[in-house]
Amino acid sequence: MSSTAVLLVAIIVVLVIALIAVSYSRHRRTNELKQQFGPEYDRAIGEQSSRRAAERDLQQRQRRHDELELRELDPQQRQRYAEQWERMQAHFVEEPEAATREADDLVTKVMHERGYPTGDFDVRVQDLSVDHAETLGHYREAHEINQVNERGQASTEQLRQALMHYRLLFAELLGDPSGGGRPIPGHG
C-alpha cells in the first residue's frame, strides 16, 4: 500500500472517530438535558425551530440560573410562609378570588426570598425550570387561571385548581416534602 493510501485511510479513520465522538457528546448532552428539565425539555423542543435551538435555550437557562444567588429559607422563614399559606387557604372559603391572588403573591414572595428574579413571568418560568421543571406545568396552569380570575371570569372550581397548582410549587420552594400542608377547602 502506498503512503498516500495509508494517509488517506488514517484520515478516514480519524474522521470516523471524530464523528462518533461528536455524536456521543450530543447524545449525552441531550440525555442530561432531558433528565434535568424533564417535561420542560419536550416543551422547549415544541417551542423552538429545532432540537439544537431548544437545547441551546435550555443551556442558556442553566447558565443564567448558575449566576443567580439562590438560597434556602431558614426554618423561621419556612414557618412564617407556611402560616401565611394556611391563613390564605382558610380565606379561600369566604373569598376564593382574593385567596387565589394571595396565593400568586405568596409564591412570588417566596421566589424573591429564595433569590429568584420575580419581574417578568416568562423569565420566572425559565429560571424555575432549572430546579423545578416537574412542577412548572402546575405553576403555568395556576398563572393562567389567575389571569382569568383577574378578568372576573374564573369559576370557584378553577380557583380551587389554581390553589392546588400553586401549592405544589410553593411546597417545593419552601422545602416542604408533604406538598404544602392541609387540603384545599372542598378537596378531601
Side-chain angles (χ1 to χ4, degrees):
M1 196 185 297
S2 73
S3 62
T4 304
V6 170
L7 182 61
L8 185 58
V9 168
I11 290 172
I12 291 172
V13 168
V14 167
L15 286 175
V16 167
I17 290 171
L19 287 173
I20 291 171
V22 167
S23 175
Y24 175 76
S25 175
R26 284 185 184 158
H27 181 70
R28 192 181 85 240
R29 180 186 67 211
T30 294
N31 285 340
E32 288 171 355
L33 290 171
K34 282 181 180 180
Q35 175 115 17
Q36 177 178 5
F37 287 94
E40 193 64 18
Y41 179 89
D42 294 328
R43 184 180 181 91
I45 294 289
E47 291 176 348
Q48 297 289 332
S49 60
S50 69
R51 181 185 346 191
R52 181 174 277 164
E55 289 183 354
R56 267 195 312 271
D57 174 59
L58 294 172
Q59 289 172 321
Q60 287 174 332
R61 292 183 194 188
Q62 177 67 57
R63 283 190 291 277
R64 177 178 157 78
H65 179 272
D66 291 345
E67 292 174 3
L68 298 175
E69 293 183 26
L70 299 178
R71 57 200 161 275
E72 295 296 322
L73 299 175
D74 66 45
Q76 293 82 16
Q77 291 171 310
R78 276 197 296 279
Q79 182 64 34
R80 186 180 77 234
Y81 283 123
E83 289 169 0
Q84 287 178 19
W85 182 269
E86 290 293 323
R87 283 192 301 275
M88 174 278 307
Q89 193 167 288
H91 184 218
F92 182 86
V93 174
E94 292 103 29
E95 295 187 62
E97 296 87 0
T100 303
R101 284 189 293 277
E102 290 171 27
D104 182 68
D105 290 344
L106 192 53
V107 167
T108 303
K109 284 178 187 175
V110 172
M111 287 175 59
H112 178 74
E113 191 83 31
R114 294 275 321 271
Y116 287 100
T118 56
D120 179 68
F121 178 76
D122 292 330
V123 173
R124 271 186 269 169
V125 167
Q126 289 177 359
D127 291 340
L128 287 169
S129 71
V130 177
D131 288 333
H132 304 282
E134 294 298 324
T135 55
L136 207 51
H138 292 284
Y139 184 49
R140 282 189 178 102
E141 288 289 323
H143 179 74
E144 288 175 23
I145 294 170
N146 195 42
Q147 288 181 318
V148 173
N149 181 38
E150 292 299 323
R151 294 190 301 269
Q153 300 172 337
S155 70
T156 302
E157 180 56 28
Q158 286 175 308
L159 297 173
R160 195 173 284 116
Q161 290 293 321
L163 244 60
M164 291 185 338
H165 289 306
Y166 278 129
R167 181 171 61 185
L168 292 171
L169 179 60
F170 177 79
E172 265 191 32
L173 290 168
L174 216 58
D176 178 3
S178 72
R182 66 182 177 85
I184 307 249
H187 284 271

